[in-house]
Amino acid sequence: MDMFQTIGKWLKYSLAQTQARLVLILTVSVFLIILAVSLTSYYTSKSVLQEELSEPQHQMLQISMKFIDDSIRESDKIAVQVAVNEHVYHFLTSENQNSVFNISTLYRLLSTWINNSEYINSIYVYDIERGSFVSLPQGYSSSRLTFVDSEWTSIADEFGDDMMTIRKRHVPEGAGNKGSELTLFRKIMIQGKFRGIVAVNLRETELFAKLNPPALSQVDSMRYIVDQQGHVLYSVSNSEFKPDAVTQALNELKEDRFGDFVHEGQKLLVNQIESPLTGWKYVSIVSQDSLLAQSKKVRDTVLSVSVAALALGALTILYVNSAAFRPVRRLKQLFSAYEGKTSSPDRIDLEKLAGELLSNHAHLSQLVRETIPDAASKFLHDIHSGHMSGRREIREKWSRYFAEWTDAPVTVAVLSIDRYDSWSRRFPASDHSLLKFALANIIAELHEPKWRVACADFGADRMAILLQPQVAEGRPPLAEAIETVSRLLKFSVSAGMSMPQSDVCKLKQAMLEAENALTYRLYRGYGQLVPFQDVSAHEVTDTQAPEDGIRELLAAVESGEGEKAVALLERIAGNIRSRYWYPTEALAALQSLLERLQGLCPGGEGAEAESAGRLATMYIEDIEAELTGLINALSERYRRLIGSKDFILCQRMMEYMEQHLGEPIGIPEIADSIGISSSLASHLFKQETNETIYNYLTRLRMERAGELLIKTDRKISDIALMVGYQHENSFIRSFRKFKDITPGKYRDMMRTRMDALYE
């Protein structure tokens, strides 16, 4: 009791002194400020990291789901073809069910369907009334008792009103690789009666290939597919997770798109989406511990500093009180120690303490300021990508990230690495980011101190530079910077520069101006600076691609006439130069020609995907030279193939498809037109063209449909019939798959573009 009274008296006496109260107030204030900064920075960084991680995870799940759903739709289309096939009808309805002719024909058809799909392992057709099967590879079986893989037939009672269902099932021993644990079942209805079932056994490895996370990912993650019954159909992970993690994740998430939870002491971030086709849930679980490790370290460090500051304040109060009880002689010595200053020693010590605390806080503020360049770069990237368009949001973030900038006009320059495709092959991928960082440093050093500079990497070959004069207005030394980059880094860049803008809300417009000016590299060559005002008055009268000339060029290539094809290319390039097309239209036409030429190569579809946008960083003469080399190589290949018997058969099949494009023909009709079997026709066509007959026929139909949509005002249903589709919905799905746009939107887009060209 006496001890507490003693402490109480000491505190009362201590706080009665002005110096002690000032020290206490200052110490507590600094402690609270540092504590607030530490907690705010930690939880802000945590929230940002969760959002930044959640979005790409969600996008990857959507990509995986779309790929799997498209694959299931493709497999279901084959199941529908099996269900409506006349030979399947004879199998289910005829008295002589095991007819050799009918069974052998069915066997060949099933073989063709399986060979044309990379996702199908085998196909069973089951007669419900007689309990018999016909399948590939097992053949015909008159009873379930003699058919090894028949345990699934009870699915007939589970269809309900649905025509199709997908289930994970058990494959019995003895079935080997003939069955599949994941099977698509479809009803066969004859005259309104449920007569049979088509079972399409899917290849899980190929079907779920897109679900696998990137091999170089540094984040511990797992992805699941869960069916409507809550069973895990497939999972893939680059780290070890407990199996019950997905159950807890779904219970925690419920209907939300994403969220976080703790599983056995580990913090996890979960994303989910549900397939509208199958009802499956696609779930991604990511460990947050590795992401938040640095944020926790900063939080703990700052908390330690705040505790140290509080302890220092307490020691200061003790020191003040100890000084108050010292003899007068000691006080005089202290006064003399400060070289005759009249301020008391207590006050001097308090100022020193405050200075140390404020110094620590200034250090933390410096850490915050160092993150401003990254935030400014993201600000420019968000405006360019359209993720930020509100005037209030733009002004608010501008004042936050560009606090030191003035109201002077700003200029945007967009830099692009010349011949980016060659550049990316010339330097290792690990050096690309380093070289672009060096490029940004050279630009900044040459413009400072007369210009304020902010850089943003737009990915691939692009980089944006935001410039504002600090002294007097004038043109920034970008041309000198471009020459310096070429000399020091041994590669060239081109740049487009916008008009100065006084309103930061018009930064998007300035970026578009700079990108528009940059496209004139097509005519001006490499290492050039193109101001927007130099090209803003560009006018053209007609930039329509010479489709007849392109078709004639492609025909010359396919007939092996290389010199004629090169001459036609020179005519097209000459037309672009003489009429001085808009660079974007010229690049689009040349890119389209490149893709159509690559479509003639073996594996043409993959080459087309790889070539997307590759000409955008090239000079027109280099583009023409590259196209010439490709034309000569293709012409030589076709010259060698023309004498081949198999090639001639393929040409005859192609001619038959072009002549009967408006009829509902399929592989059997195409094979009959040249007198060979469907399987042989499919094999020869794939061998010579590296493309399936079905894909080639569909592409022909979509190209013809595109022409009809642009050149005529016919209804979409009429156009569908004209290109061999009996149902408008089937046509729309195929068109969207090939063009990535619906027929109606394609017609509107192309006509709007053509109207703009003629204005």
Side-chain angles (χ1 to χ4, degrees):
M1 189 66 179
D2 294 337
M3 182 182 67
F4 289 112
Q5 290 178 348
T6 303
I7 294 175
K9 291 179 180 180
W10 181 82
L11 288 174
K12 182 178 180 181
Y13 178 82
S14 298
L15 295 178
Q17 300 181 66
T18 303
Q19 296 94 332
R21 290 199 301 271
L22 288 174
V23 171
L24 180 62
I25 293 172
L26 179 63
T27 302
V28 172
S29 299
V30 172
F31 171 79
L32 293 176
I33 290 173
I34 297 175
L35 183 63
V37 169
S38 67
L39 295 178
T40 302
S41 63
Y42 171 72
Y43 286 106
T44 300
S45 63
K46 176 182 177 181
S47 176
V48 170
L49 286 171
Q50 286 180 340
E51 292 179 2
E52 293 294 328
L53 179 62
S54 177
E55 188 58 30
Q57 292 292 322
H58 186 74
Q59 291 176 357
M60 286 188 286
L61 284 179
Q62 286 183 320
I63 292 171
S64 301
M65 182 187 73
K66 184 179 183 301
F67 174 85
I68 294 171
D69 282 357
D70 288 346
S71 304
I72 291 175
R73 287 190 183 97
E74 179 182 334
S75 302
D76 187 43
K77 288 179 183 178
I78 293 176
V80 171
Q81 293 176 16
V82 175
V84 300
N85 186 270
E86 60 177 331
H87 296 287
V88 173
Y89 173 84
H90 290 319
F91 172 76
L92 296 175
T93 59
S94 63
E95 295 182 359
N96 183 19
Q97 192 177 45
N98 61 345
S99 165
V100 174
F101 171 77
N102 195 49
I103 296 300
S104 60
T105 303
L106 270 177
Y107 195 90
R108 289 195 300 272
L109 288 173
L110 293 178
S111 175
T112 300
W113 283 318
I114 292 172
N115 290 335
N116 284 339
S117 174
E118 63 178 312
Y119 309 109
I120 297 178
N121 190 42
S122 59
I123 300 176
Y124 304 159
V125 178
Y126 171 55
D127 185 338
I128 293 177
E129 292 186 357
R130 287 177 278 196
S132 56
F133 293 83
V134 62
S135 64
L136 183 70
Q138 289 91 334
Y140 171 77
S141 180
S142 61
S143 170
R144 285 186 299 176
L145 299 176
T146 59
F147 192 79
V148 177
D149 189 10
S150 63
E151 295 180 2
W152 53 268
T153 53
S154 60
I155 194 73
D157 300 326
E158 301 177 17
F159 272 102
D161 295 332
D162 296 330
M163 291 296 294
M164 183 272 287
T165 185
I166 300 178
R167 294 295 173 86
K168 190 173 183 69
R169 65 187 185 86
H170 171 69
V171 179
E173 294 184 7
N177 61 353
K178 302 172 185 177
S180 171
E181 291 187 351
L182 189 66
T183 305
L184 183 150
F185 301 100
R186 175 162 280 279
K187 286 181 178 179
I188 302 177
M189 306 295 293
I190 298 178
Q191 297 179 353
K193 186 177 180 181
F194 187 9
R195 290 294 303 273
I197 299 174
V198 177
V200 178
N201 295 306
L202 303 174
R203 297 176 179 171
E204 293 184 37
T205 302
E206 287 76 9
L207 182 65
F208 297 132
K210 288 290 184 180
L211 192 67
N212 297 338
L216 298 179
S217 175
Q218 299 298 318
V219 181
D220 297 338
S221 64
M222 171 172 273
R223 296 178 192 165
Y224 297 90
I225 298 179
V226 182
D227 66 13
Q228 294 172 308
Q229 288 74 38
H231 300 142
V232 176
L233 297 179
Y234 187 79
S235 66
V236 62
S237 171
N238 62 1
S239 181
E240 293 186 4
F241 285 83
K242 293 296 180 64
D244 58 342
V246 66
T247 303
Q248 183 181 352
L250 294 176
N251 291 335
E252 294 274 350
L253 205 58
K254 295 182 180 177
E255 299 299 325
D256 294 332
R257 196 189 82 177
F258 76 95
D260 59 342
F261 68 102
V262 178
H263 179 74
E264 296 185 356
Q266 186 178 18
K267 292 185 177 180
L268 303 175
L269 179 66
V270 59
N271 273 267
Q272 73 166 356
I273 57 175
E274 183 172 339
S275 168
L277 175 67
T278 61
W280 295 347
K281 289 186 177 180
Y282 292 73
V283 184
S284 172
I285 299 178
V286 179
S287 172
Q288 299 186 68
D289 291 340
S290 57
L291 293 173
L292 297 176
Q294 294 300 323
S295 297
K296 289 180 179 178
K297 186 180 295 184
V298 173
R299 178 199 64 186
D300 296 340
T301 301
V302 179
L303 284 174
S304 300
V305 171
S306 64
V307 172
L310 189 62
L312 184 60
L315 291 174
T316 304
I317 293 175
L318 290 175
Y319 174 76
V320 169
N321 282 279
S322 64
F325 289 101
R326 290 174 183 171
V328 176
R329 182 178 57 81
R330 179 58 181 157
L331 291 175
K332 291 181 179 180
Q333 291 177 355
L334 291 174
F335 277 115
S336 62
Y338 290 99
E339 299 178 353
K341 293 181 180 179
T342 57
S343 299
S344 70
D346 301 330
R347 188 172 180 182
I348 292 172
D349 289 340
L350 182 60
E351 292 174 355
K352 194 187 293 184
L353 172 64
E356 292 177 0
L357 294 174
L358 292 174
S359 176
N360 291 337
H361 186 264
H363 175 66
L364 293 175
S365 299
Q366 178 64 26
L367 294 177
V368 174
R369 283 196 296 271
E370 288 176 357
T371 64
I372 291 297
D374 293 336
S377 176
K378 188 177 186 303
F379 170 79
L380 296 176
H381 192 278
D382 287 345
I383 290 180
H384 178 263
S385 61
H387 294 157
M388 187 188 305
S389 56
R391 298 176 66 87
R392 178 180 297 178
E393 183 183 11
I394 291 175
R395 292 186 185 281
E396 178 185 345
K397 292 193 174 182
W398 173 268
S399 61
R400 187 187 309 167
Y401 302 145
F402 299 87
E404 297 179 358
W405 293 44
T406 66
D407 294 332
V410 294
T411 303
V412 174
V414 175
L415 277 67
S416 171
I417 299 171
D418 296 327
R419 293 185 64 89
Y420 178 74
D421 194 52
S422 300
W423 179 88
S424 60
R425 292 194 300 267
R426 174 184 169 193
F427 297 101
S430 57
D431 292 345
H432 291 182
S433 297
L434 182 62
L435 289 171
K436 296 184 76 174
F437 179 75
L439 170 61
N441 279 346
I442 292 173
I443 299 295
E445 288 180 6
L446 289 177
H447 284 78
E448 293 176 350
K450 294 183 179 180
W451 293 81
R452 297 183 180 91
V453 182
C455 301
D457 188 352
F458 284 176
D461 63 294
R462 297 298 173 93
M463 175 179 292
I465 309 294
L466 184 65
L467 300 162
Q468 185 185 68
Q470 294 197 63
V471 192
E473 293 188 13
R475 179 169 290 189
L478 272 172
E480 177 187 351
I482 290 172
E483 189 277 330
T484 304
V485 168
S486 177
R487 176 165 45 84
L488 296 180
L489 300 183
K490 307 305 180 185
F491 63 84
S492 66
V493 296
S494 297
M497 187 169 65
S498 73
M499 303 280 284
Q501 291 287 352
S502 300
D503 185 358
V504 296
C505 294
K506 294 183 178 180
L507 281 176
K508 176 69 172 181
Q509 176 183 336
M511 292 177 184
L512 294 175
E513 289 178 356
E515 289 185 326
N516 181 276
L518 177 61
T519 60
Y520 284 82
R521 163 175 50 193
L522 179 70
Y523 298 119
R524 300 195 178 193
Y526 305 129
Q528 301 294 318
L529 171 64
V530 185
F532 178 72
Q533 56 263 38
D534 291 357
V535 297
S536 58
H538 181 190
E539 294 183 2
V540 293
T541 56
D542 182 15
T543 59
Q544 186 174 3
E547 182 62 27
D548 293 339
I550 291 176
R551 287 182 178 175
E552 187 179 356
L553 187 153
L554 295 173
V557 170
E558 289 182 300
S559 61
E561 300 177 84
E563 294 182 359
K564 179 181 177 181
V566 171
L568 290 169
L569 173 63
E570 292 174 353
R571 185 190 305 171
I572 293 171
N575 177 275
I576 291 174
R577 290 191 186 93
S578 63
R579 292 182 177 272
Y580 195 37
W581 290 24
Y582 280 124
T584 51
E585 297 296 336
L587 286 168
L590 293 169
Q591 183 70 37
S592 175
L593 175 58
L594 173 62
E595 291 172 357
R596 291 168 74 173
L597 284 170
Q598 290 181 326
L600 302 177
C601 299
E605 293 181 0
E608 179 178 337
E610 292 177 1
S611 70
R614 60 177 296 196
L615 304 185
T617 61
M618 296 176 64
Y619 182 39
I620 190 170
E621 291 185 359
D622 289 344
I623 295 174
E624 187 176 357
E626 182 165 328
L627 291 175
T628 299
L630 181 58
I631 286 171
N632 287 330
L634 287 172
S635 299
E636 179 62 27
R637 176 179 179 271
Y638 276 98
R639 189 181 298 117
R640 293 194 305 267
L641 288 175
I642 285 175
S644 167
K645 177 182 176 181
D646 293 344
F647 181 79
I648 293 172
L649 290 176
C650 289
Q651 289 294 109
R652 288 173 59 190
M653 285 191 279
M654 292 177 182
E655 292 171 0
Y656 178 82
M657 284 185 270
E658 292 176 357
Q659 294 169 1
H660 298 79
L661 201 60
E663 302 174 15
I665 60 173
I667 296 176
E669 290 80 7
I670 296 169
D672 289 343
S673 70
I674 59 172
I676 61 176
S677 67
S678 297
S679 59
L680 180 58
S682 298
H683 174 74
L684 291 179
F685 199 90
K686 180 72 173 179
Q687 171 185 292
E688 295 298 320
T689 67
N690 202 30
E691 186 175 18
T692 65
I693 297 176
Y694 174 79
N695 283 347
Y696 182 83
L697 177 59
T698 304
R699 181 155 53 83
L700 285 180
R701 286 172 168 167
M702 294 305 105
E703 290 177 357
R704 176 59 179 158
E707 294 176 3
L708 293 172
L709 286 168
I710 297 172
K711 296 180 180 179
T712 71
D713 294 321
R714 292 180 178 272
K715 296 180 179 179
I716 293 177
S717 58
D718 294 338
I719 293 176
L721 291 172
M722 294 174 69
V723 294
Y725 284 86
Q726 301 301 307
H727 301 287
E728 180 181 352
N729 290 338
S730 299
F731 165 69
I732 293 174
R733 284 196 297 270
S734 296
F735 192 92
R736 186 170 186 174
K737 179 179 179 182
F738 270 77
K739 298 288 189 180
D740 201 24
I741 190 174
T742 62
K745 290 183 179 179
Y746 178 81
R747 170 181 274 170
D748 294 340
M749 180 186 71
M750 296 304 295
R751 289 188 174 179
T752 300
R753 181 178 294 179
M754 293 176 66
D755 291 342
L757 292 176
Y758 288 108
E759 289 180 355

